[in-house]
Amino acid sequence: MKAKALDGIRVLEYATEVSGPYLGKLLADLGAEVIKIEPPGRGDGARQRPPFPGDEPHPEKSGLFAYLNTNKLGVTLDPEKLEGREIFMRLAREADVLIEDRPVGEMERLGLSYETLKADNPGLIMISITPFGRSGPYKDYKARQLNLAHASGQGYLLPIVALDPDRPPVKMGGNSCDGDAGLVAGVAVLAAVFWKGVTGQGQFIELSKQEALMSMQRVESVTYANDKVVVTRHGDRQRRSPGGMLPCKDGHVVVVTPEEHQFRSLMALIGDPDWSKEDWCQNAATRNERADEVNQHLIDWMKDHTKDEIFRKGQALSCPIAPANSAEDVVGSEHLKAREFFVPMDHPEIGRLEKFPSSPYRFSETPWRLEKPAPRLGQHNPDVFQDRLGLSDQELERLASQGII
């Protein structure tokens, strides 16, 4: 069996729900050994979040938790208790990376600051993921995805091709905001792992989710600071070209035609109607002034055509147009089927999943593999605490009875 890209890298994940666990998943999928620490009894909060099979909540059947925690080992441990803290430090002593998302100051209060941990492990890379960073007037603020979407400006900016630009701002769908923060954290950690490989030294990384989200739309974020131009979902109505997210017979399509040849392809797609030959429609500036009118013509034509039909015919004409796919469309995609993006997974509680998302990358020498489903709560306590740390059966029973593990 071929090695994986991060074979030999040991990660300790002390994080909940999405951002930190997604970072842990990225590293685990690349081959790192990730030990996930959860609170005894209740576990990671993601265990309580949907979707659930049959919409029946169960801590071992959350689809969100199942996705975020593949290829990890799972233990339960309470560092609030002295013996739990000592065990945590023993695990951190052998780790290359520690992921934590506690409120600012909590790790220091527990005696688990980076300065303390690196005294025993100078090569430790520790990343702290917080809503607003570890400094500044907002450092102690709590936030959920909805707060962060608007604190970062994403709710105000996205989607730029909004179907209804006059609606109040909303957050991005699903767990995108927390997932993006985990992805940015992955880039930072891999850079630190590379630097450690060169120098042998670890380092402390702090990540602000607000700033991670801002980095995703940094061009729009800096236009006001430099040009005094406020970019919104409305766009600049004087300069916006026709198109955007438009309804059709069975859903929506996205149309982008900033260039003249692209607009002409769009007109060819809808049959070169008479209105498209009028003088005002021959000039981009005057055409853009009447973008709403053009869009209404487009909608009148598209309502009789399916998104696949519009996409296929538009593609043949080199028109930048694409279907807005639903989850059902994506799962049923012939393209993704041909690429074997979805793979089967056997889960001890959920059962067999025929279509589980795999990896967006393909390594020729260190391929991705789904080796373990998400762990059951405390599943690997014996493997980690007994086989690695040398605790006895009696010690494990005592620690469990005292709520330490």
Side-chain angles (χ1 to χ4, degrees):
M1 185 176 290
K2 287 188 174 182
K4 298 175 75 173
L6 293 183
D7 273 352
I9 299 297
R10 295 158 300 182
V11 179
L12 200 58
E13 178 192 302
Y14 186 44
T16 62
E17 300 207 357
V18 179
S19 295
Y22 184 51
L23 166 58
K25 172 187 172 62
L26 294 173
L27 300 176
D29 283 355
L30 286 168
E33 179 192 78
V34 177
I35 298 176
K36 179 180 182 66
I37 296 176
E38 299 183 70
R42 65 183 186 277
D44 186 339
R47 291 182 179 275
Q48 311 303 324
R49 293 179 57 183
F52 297 100
D55 289 330
E56 296 181 7
H58 188 290
E60 298 292 358
K61 296 184 179 182
S62 163
L64 177 65
F65 185 87
Y67 172 72
L68 289 171
N69 295 286
T70 52
N71 289 332
K72 298 178 185 178
L73 302 173
V75 302
T76 50
L77 183 65
D78 184 2
E80 290 279 352
K81 296 182 170 66
L82 178 60
E83 283 187 87
R85 192 174 315 146
E86 291 171 348
I87 292 172
F88 188 103
M89 295 181 73
R90 289 179 65 184
L91 292 173
R93 198 172 295 143
E94 304 300 322
D96 295 291
V97 179
L98 169 60
I99 303 167
E100 66 91 1
D101 65 354
R102 307 292 110 176
V104 175
E106 182 171 310
M107 295 297 281
E108 287 77 9
R109 178 180 63 79
L110 292 173
L112 299 173
S113 68
Y114 176 65
E115 294 301 321
T116 298
L117 296 176
K118 81 168 184 178
D120 287 334
N121 182 2
L124 179 66
I125 297 164
M126 180 171 171
I127 181 165
S128 170
I129 302 173
T130 58
F132 299 103
R134 296 174 62 85
S135 61
Y138 293 174
K139 67 181 177 65
D140 295 319
Y141 284 13
K142 297 178 181 179
R144 305 293 289 183
Q145 291 199 72
L146 181 62
N147 311 107
L148 292 165
H150 297 290
S152 68
Q154 280 199 356
Y156 191 68
L157 289 167
L158 302 174
I160 291 177
V161 288
L163 179 62
D164 180 8
D166 294 320
R167 73 179 184 192
V170 297
K171 81 171 184 71
M172 292 287 286
N175 294 291
S176 177
C177 295
D178 275 344
D180 283 350
L183 182 62
V184 173
V187 174
V189 167
L190 289 177
V193 168
F194 177 82
W195 192 68
K196 178 180 176 178
V198 174
T199 67
Q201 298 177 1
Q203 58 184 308
F204 182 75
I205 306 168
E206 66 147 316
L207 182 132
S208 156
K209 292 185 184 181
Q210 179 193 33
E211 293 167 15
L213 294 180
M214 289 176 66
S215 74
M216 292 294 181
Q217 76 268 348
R218 55 184 176 272
V219 174
E220 291 81 6
S221 296
V222 301
T223 53
Y224 180 78
N226 293 279
D227 302 323
K228 301 298 185 247
V229 173
V230 177
V231 180
T232 74
R233 291 172 297 115
H234 298 259
D236 185 334
R237 290 192 179 275
Q238 297 305 310
R239 294 185 293 174
R240 82 177 171 93
S241 57
M245 183 80 74
L246 301 176
C248 61
K249 186 176 182 178
D250 63 345
H252 295 83
V253 294
V254 178
V255 183
V256 183
T257 59
E259 304 295 336
E260 189 64 26
H261 69 278
Q262 295 169 338
F263 182 78
R264 291 302 153 200
S265 295
L266 178 62
M267 294 301 97
L269 172 65
I270 67 172
D272 287 319
D274 291 340
W275 59 265
S276 70
K277 299 180 178 67
E278 295 179 15
D279 289 344
W280 66 267
C281 203
Q282 303 304 304
N283 179 276
T286 54
R287 186 168 65 232
N288 292 351
E289 290 175 359
R290 298 171 69 167
D292 290 336
E293 180 181 340
V294 175
N295 278 355
Q296 189 56 57
H297 286 302
L298 295 174
I299 292 170
D300 291 341
W301 180 85
M302 289 179 179
K303 68 183 180 182
D304 297 320
H305 301 269
T306 67
K307 56 188 176 185
D308 188 68
E309 178 186 2
I310 294 168
F311 167 59
R312 299 297 176 188
K313 290 182 177 179
Q315 186 180 50
L317 293 167
S318 298
C319 180
I321 194 166
N325 286 331
S326 66
E328 183 179 7
D329 295 328
V330 172
V331 171
S333 166
E334 289 299 319
H335 174 74
L336 294 176
K337 180 180 179 181
R339 287 182 55 78
E340 299 180 337
F341 174 74
F342 291 105
V343 298
M345 182 183 76
D346 291 310
H347 190 281
E349 299 289 342
I350 299 174
R352 185 171 178 82
L353 300 174
E354 293 298 336
K355 292 188 175 183
F356 187 83
S358 63
S359 162
Y361 45 76
R362 302 288 190 275
F363 285 102
S364 63
E365 300 302 322
T366 55
W368 175 88
R369 293 189 299 271
L370 178 57
E371 297 180 337
K372 292 186 288 290
R376 298 188 297 276
L377 186 61
Q379 178 180 343
H380 298 101
N381 282 2
D383 304 83
V384 174
F385 298 142
Q386 288 183 288
D387 298 347
R388 301 191 186 196
L389 301 187
L391 300 182
S392 66
D393 289 340
Q394 293 76 18
E395 286 176 303
L396 226 60
E397 290 177 8
R398 178 182 62 79
L399 291 170
S401 67
Q402 295 175 348
I404 295 171
I405 64 171

